[in-house]
PDB file of all heavy atoms in Angstrom:
ATOM      1  N   TYR A  86       2.539  16.347  10.259  1.00 95.00           N
ATOM      2  CA  TYR A  86       3.592  15.613  10.969  1.00 95.00           C
ATOM      3  C   TYR A  86       2.954  14.872  12.153  1.00 95.00           C
ATOM      4  O   TYR A  86       3.215  13.720  12.402  1.00 95.00           O
ATOM      5  CB  TYR A  86       4.613  16.646  11.436  1.00 95.00           C
ATOM      6  CG  TYR A  86       5.991  16.129  11.718  1.00 95.00           C
ATOM      7  CD1 TYR A  86       6.805  15.648  10.709  1.00 95.00           C
ATOM      8  CD2 TYR A  86       6.485  16.159  13.018  1.00 95.00           C
ATOM      9  CE1 TYR A  86       8.083  15.197  10.990  1.00 95.00           C
ATOM     10  CE2 TYR A  86       7.755  15.719  13.307  1.00 95.00           C
ATOM     11  CZ  TYR A  86       8.549  15.236  12.293  1.00 95.00           C
ATOM     12  OH  TYR A  86       9.813  14.802  12.578  1.00 95.00           O
ATOM     13  N   PHE A  87       2.116  15.542  12.911  1.00 97.00           N
ATOM     14  CA  PHE A  87       1.201  14.930  13.861  1.00 97.00           C
ATOM     15  C   PHE A  87       0.012  15.851  14.023  1.00 97.00           C
ATOM     16  O   PHE A  87       0.142  17.043  13.725  1.00 97.00           O
ATOM     17  CB  PHE A  87       1.883  14.636  15.232  1.00 97.00           C
ATOM     18  CG  PHE A  87       2.131  15.845  16.096  1.00 97.00           C
ATOM     19  CD1 PHE A  87       1.156  16.320  16.986  1.00 97.00           C
ATOM     20  CD2 PHE A  87       3.346  16.519  16.026  1.00 97.00           C
ATOM     21  CE1 PHE A  87       1.401  17.428  17.789  1.00 97.00           C
ATOM     22  CE2 PHE A  87       3.595  17.626  16.820  1.00 97.00           C
ATOM     23  CZ  PHE A  87       2.623  18.084  17.700  1.00 97.00           C
ATOM     24  N   MET A 196      12.759   8.743   3.941  1.00 97.00           N
ATOM     25  CA  MET A 196      12.788  10.201   3.883  1.00 97.00           C
ATOM     26  C   MET A 196      13.623  10.599   5.099  1.00 97.00           C
ATOM     27  O   MET A 196      13.164  10.518   6.227  1.00 97.00           O
ATOM     28  CB  MET A 196      11.357  10.732   3.985  1.00 97.00           C
ATOM     29  CG  MET A 196      11.243  12.213   3.853  1.00 97.00           C
ATOM     30  SD  MET A 196       9.511  12.698   3.946  1.00 97.00           S
ATOM     31  CE  MET A 196       9.672  14.075   5.064  1.00 97.00           C
ATOM     32  N   GLU A 197      14.861  10.969   4.844  1.00 97.00           N
ATOM     33  CA  GLU A 197      15.810  11.114   5.950  1.00 97.00           C
ATOM     34  C   GLU A 197      15.490  12.274   6.887  1.00 97.00           C
ATOM     35  O   GLU A 197      15.624  12.165   8.103  1.00 97.00           O
ATOM     36  CB  GLU A 197      17.219  11.301   5.374  1.00 97.00           C
ATOM     37  CG  GLU A 197      18.266  11.448   6.451  1.00 97.00           C
ATOM     38  CD  GLU A 197      19.663  11.653   5.890  1.00 97.00           C
ATOM     39  OE1 GLU A 197      19.848  11.490   4.670  1.00 97.00           O
ATOM     40  OE2 GLU A 197      20.554  11.985   6.678  1.00 97.00           O
ATOM     41  N   LYS A 198      15.080  13.387   6.305  1.00 96.00           N
ATOM     42  CA  LYS A 198      14.908  14.579   7.134  1.00 96.00           C
ATOM     43  C   LYS A 198      13.465  15.071   7.142  1.00 96.00           C
ATOM     44  O   LYS A 198      12.770  14.858   6.158  1.00 96.00           O
ATOM     45  CB  LYS A 198      15.835  15.684   6.611  1.00 96.00           C
ATOM     46  CG  LYS A 198      17.285  15.403   6.961  1.00 96.00           C
ATOM     47  CD  LYS A 198      18.210  16.519   6.564  1.00 96.00           C
ATOM     48  CE  LYS A 198      19.624  16.218   6.976  1.00 96.00           C
ATOM     49  NZ  LYS A 198      19.932  16.525   8.358  1.00 96.00           N
ATOM     50  N   PRO A 199      13.037  15.706   8.248  1.00 94.00           N
ATOM     51  CA  PRO A 199      13.833  16.094   9.412  1.00 94.00           C
ATOM     52  C   PRO A 199      14.263  14.887  10.245  1.00 94.00           C
ATOM     53  O   PRO A 199      13.542  13.890  10.301  1.00 94.00           O
ATOM     54  CB  PRO A 199      12.904  17.005  10.212  1.00 94.00           C
ATOM     55  CG  PRO A 199      11.539  16.661   9.763  1.00 94.00           C
ATOM     56  CD  PRO A 199      11.647  16.178   8.357  1.00 94.00           C
ATOM     57  N   SER A 200      15.437  15.009  10.867  1.00 95.00           N
ATOM     58  CA  SER A 200      16.004  13.928  11.679  1.00 95.00           C
ATOM     59  C   SER A 200      16.464  14.499  13.007  1.00 95.00           C
ATOM     60  O   SER A 200      16.480  15.718  13.192  1.00 95.00           O
ATOM     61  CB  SER A 200      17.188  13.315  10.928  1.00 95.00           C
ATOM     62  OG  SER A 200      18.310  14.169  11.042  1.00 95.00           O
ATOM     63  N   PRO A 201      16.912  13.634  13.938  1.00 95.00           N
ATOM     64  CA  PRO A 201      17.392  14.139  15.232  1.00 95.00           C
ATOM     65  C   PRO A 201      18.586  15.085  15.096  1.00 95.00           C
ATOM     66  O   PRO A 201      18.897  15.830  16.027  1.00 95.00           O
ATOM     67  CB  PRO A 201      17.780  12.865  15.994  1.00 95.00           C
ATOM     68  CG  PRO A 201      16.992  11.782  15.349  1.00 95.00           C
ATOM     69  CD  PRO A 201      16.862  12.161  13.907  1.00 95.00           C
ATOM     70  N   ASN A 202      19.268  15.069  13.948  1.00 93.00           N
ATOM     71  CA  ASN A 202      20.402  15.994  13.749  1.00 93.00           C
ATOM     72  C   ASN A 202      19.941  17.419  13.489  1.00 93.00           C
ATOM     73  O   ASN A 202      20.752  18.341  13.487  1.00 93.00           O
ATOM     74  CB  ASN A 202      21.251  15.548  12.555  1.00 93.00           C
ATOM     75  CG  ASN A 202      21.943  14.240  12.832  1.00 93.00           C
ATOM     76  OD1 ASN A 202      22.332  13.989  13.966  1.00 93.00           O
ATOM     77  ND2 ASN A 202      22.069  13.404  11.823  1.00 93.00           N
ATOM     78  N   ASP A 203      18.659  17.590  13.204  1.00 94.00           N
ATOM     79  CA  ASP A 203      18.147  18.917  12.857  1.00 94.00           C
ATOM     80  C   ASP A 203      17.552  19.584  14.090  1.00 94.00           C
ATOM     81  O   ASP A 203      16.455  19.235  14.533  1.00 94.00           O
ATOM     82  CB  ASP A 203      17.091  18.779  11.747  1.00 94.00           C
ATOM     83  CG  ASP A 203      17.684  18.117  10.528  1.00 94.00           C
ATOM     84  OD1 ASP A 203      18.668  18.647   9.996  1.00 94.00           O
ATOM     85  OD2 ASP A 203      17.189  17.043  10.136  1.00 94.00           O
ATOM     86  N   LYS A 204      18.314  20.507  14.655  1.00 94.00           N
ATOM     87  CA  LYS A 204      17.844  21.266  15.820  1.00 94.00           C
ATOM     88  C   LYS A 204      18.076  22.743  15.543  1.00 94.00           C
ATOM     89  O   LYS A 204      19.250  23.139  15.470  1.00 94.00           O
ATOM     90  CB  LYS A 204      18.577  20.831  17.083  1.00 94.00           C
ATOM     91  CG  LYS A 204      18.166  19.454  17.561  1.00 94.00           C
ATOM     92  CD  LYS A 204      18.777  19.153  18.918  1.00 94.00           C
ATOM     93  CE  LYS A 204      18.541  17.732  19.379  1.00 94.00           C
ATOM     94  NZ  LYS A 204      17.175  17.350  19.639  1.00 94.00           N
ATOM     95  N   PRO A 205      17.079  23.539  15.310  1.00 94.00           N
ATOM     96  CA  PRO A 205      15.657  23.180  15.312  1.00 94.00           C
ATOM     97  C   PRO A 205      15.323  22.260  14.133  1.00 94.00           C
ATOM     98  O   PRO A 205      16.072  22.188  13.163  1.00 94.00           O
ATOM     99  CB  PRO A 205      14.962  24.538  15.168  1.00 94.00           C
ATOM    100  CG  PRO A 205      15.941  25.376  14.421  1.00 94.00           C
ATOM    101  CD  PRO A 205      17.287  24.948  14.921  1.00 94.00           C
ATOM    102  N   THR A 206      14.188  21.611  14.258  1.00 94.00           N
ATOM    103  CA  THR A 206      13.817  20.603  13.266  1.00 94.00           C
ATOM    104  C   THR A 206      13.824  21.173  11.851  1.00 94.00           C
ATOM    105  O   THR A 206      14.365  20.565  10.936  1.00 94.00           O
ATOM    106  CB  THR A 206      12.408  20.059  13.612  1.00 94.00           C
ATOM    107  OG1 THR A 206      12.450  19.581  14.952  1.00 94.00           O
ATOM    108  CG2 THR A 206      12.016  18.921  12.699  1.00 94.00           C
ATOM    109  N   PHE A 207      13.213  22.342  11.682  1.00 94.00           N
ATOM    110  CA  PHE A 207      13.118  22.926  10.342  1.00 94.00           C
ATOM    111  C   PHE A 207      14.014  24.161  10.256  1.00 94.00           C
ATOM    112  O   PHE A 207      13.865  25.095  11.035  1.00 94.00           O
ATOM    113  CB  PHE A 207      11.666  23.289  10.024  1.00 94.00           C
ATOM    114  CG  PHE A 207      10.770  22.080  10.030  1.00 94.00           C
ATOM    115  CD1 PHE A 207       9.995  21.773  11.137  1.00 94.00           C
ATOM    116  CD2 PHE A 207      10.721  21.228   8.935  1.00 94.00           C
ATOM    117  CE1 PHE A 207       9.189  20.647  11.157  1.00 94.00           C
ATOM    118  CE2 PHE A 207       9.921  20.101   8.944  1.00 94.00           C
ATOM    119  CZ  PHE A 207       9.157  19.806  10.051  1.00 94.00           C
ATOM    120  N   SER A 208      14.947  24.119   9.326  1.00 94.00           N
ATOM    121  CA  SER A 208      15.858  25.251   9.158  1.00 94.00           C
ATOM    122  C   SER A 208      16.126  25.420   7.665  1.00 94.00           C
ATOM    123  O   SER A 208      15.874  24.512   6.868  1.00 94.00           O
ATOM    124  CB  SER A 208      17.182  24.985   9.880  1.00 94.00           C
ATOM    125  OG  SER A 208      17.825  23.889   9.248  1.00 94.00           O
ATOM    126  N   GLU A 209      16.684  26.572   7.314  1.00 95.00           N
ATOM    127  CA  GLU A 209      17.048  26.843   5.916  1.00 95.00           C
ATOM    128  C   GLU A 209      18.043  25.793   5.421  1.00 95.00           C
ATOM    129  O   GLU A 209      17.936  25.264   4.309  1.00 95.00           O
ATOM    130  CB  GLU A 209      17.668  28.244   5.853  1.00 95.00           C
ATOM    131  CG  GLU A 209      17.625  28.901   4.483  1.00 95.00           C
ATOM    132  CD  GLU A 209      16.244  28.913   3.848  1.00 95.00           C
ATOM    133  OE1 GLU A 209      15.252  29.302   4.505  1.00 95.00           O
ATOM    134  OE2 GLU A 209      16.169  28.501   2.684  1.00 95.00           O
ATOM    135  N   GLU A 210      18.981  25.436   6.291  1.00 93.00           N
ATOM    136  CA  GLU A 210      20.025  24.459   5.947  1.00 93.00           C
ATOM    137  C   GLU A 210      19.395  23.093   5.630  1.00 93.00           C
ATOM    138  O   GLU A 210      19.762  22.416   4.667  1.00 93.00           O
ATOM    139  CB  GLU A 210      20.957  24.347   7.150  1.00 93.00           C
ATOM    140  CG  GLU A 210      22.254  23.660   6.872  1.00 93.00           C
ATOM    141  CD  GLU A 210      23.019  23.409   8.172  1.00 93.00           C
ATOM    142  OE1 GLU A 210      22.619  23.919   9.245  1.00 93.00           O
ATOM    143  OE2 GLU A 210      24.007  22.677   8.113  1.00 93.00           O
ATOM    144  N   MET A 211      18.443  22.717   6.477  1.00 93.00           N
ATOM    145  CA  MET A 211      17.764  21.427   6.280  1.00 93.00           C
ATOM    146  C   MET A 211      17.038  21.436   4.937  1.00 93.00           C
ATOM    147  O   MET A 211      17.116  20.475   4.159  1.00 93.00           O
ATOM    148  CB  MET A 211      16.780  21.194   7.435  1.00 93.00           C
ATOM    149  CG  MET A 211      16.227  19.793   7.511  1.00 93.00           C
ATOM    150  SD  MET A 211      14.841  19.485   6.428  1.00 93.00           S
ATOM    151  CE  MET A 211      13.508  20.067   7.436  1.00 93.00           C
ATOM    152  N   LEU A 212      16.373  22.530   4.616  1.00 93.00           N
ATOM    153  CA  LEU A 212      15.634  22.613   3.354  1.00 93.00           C
ATOM    154  C   LEU A 212      16.592  22.534   2.163  1.00 93.00           C
ATOM    155  O   LEU A 212      16.318  21.860   1.175  1.00 93.00           O
ATOM    156  CB  LEU A 212      14.810  23.898   3.291  1.00 93.00           C
ATOM    157  CG  LEU A 212      13.608  23.929   4.233  1.00 93.00           C
ATOM    158  CD1 LEU A 212      12.921  25.289   4.184  1.00 93.00           C
ATOM    159  CD2 LEU A 212      12.608  22.836   3.874  1.00 93.00           C
ATOM    160  N   SER A 214      19.332  20.961   1.966  1.00 92.00           N
ATOM    161  CA  SER A 214      19.923  19.619   1.817  1.00 92.00           C
ATOM    162  C   SER A 214      19.093  18.726   0.890  1.00 92.00           C
ATOM    163  O   SER A 214      19.593  17.737   0.371  1.00 92.00           O
ATOM    164  CB  SER A 214      20.030  18.936   3.182  1.00 92.00           C
ATOM    165  OG  SER A 214      18.744  18.510   3.609  1.00 92.00           O
ATOM    166  N   TYR A 217      14.672  15.955   2.546  1.00 96.00           N
ATOM    167  CA  TYR A 217      13.276  15.720   2.942  1.00 96.00           C
ATOM    168  C   TYR A 217      12.524  15.045   1.793  1.00 96.00           C
ATOM    169  O   TYR A 217      11.340  14.736   1.917  1.00 96.00           O
ATOM    170  CB  TYR A 217      12.590  17.039   3.329  1.00 96.00           C
ATOM    171  CG  TYR A 217      12.747  18.105   2.275  1.00 96.00           C
ATOM    172  CD1 TYR A 217      11.887  18.156   1.190  1.00 96.00           C
ATOM    173  CD2 TYR A 217      13.786  19.022   2.342  1.00 96.00           C
ATOM    174  CE1 TYR A 217      12.069  19.100   0.191  1.00 96.00           C
ATOM    175  CE2 TYR A 217      13.969  19.965   1.358  1.00 96.00           C
ATOM    176  CZ  TYR A 217      13.095  19.997   0.282  1.00 96.00           C
ATOM    177  OH  TYR A 217      13.273  20.915  -0.704  1.00 96.00           O
TER     178      TYR A 217
END
Side-chain angles (χ1 to χ4, degrees):
Y86 202 67
F87 74 88
M196 184 178 135
E197 180 181 350
K198 287 185 178 278
S200 77
N202 293 325
D203 301 302
K204 288 188 187 295
T206 305
F207 298 99
S208 65
E209 202 52 49
E210 194 189 351
M211 192 277 275
L212 289 175
S214 74
Y217 52 84

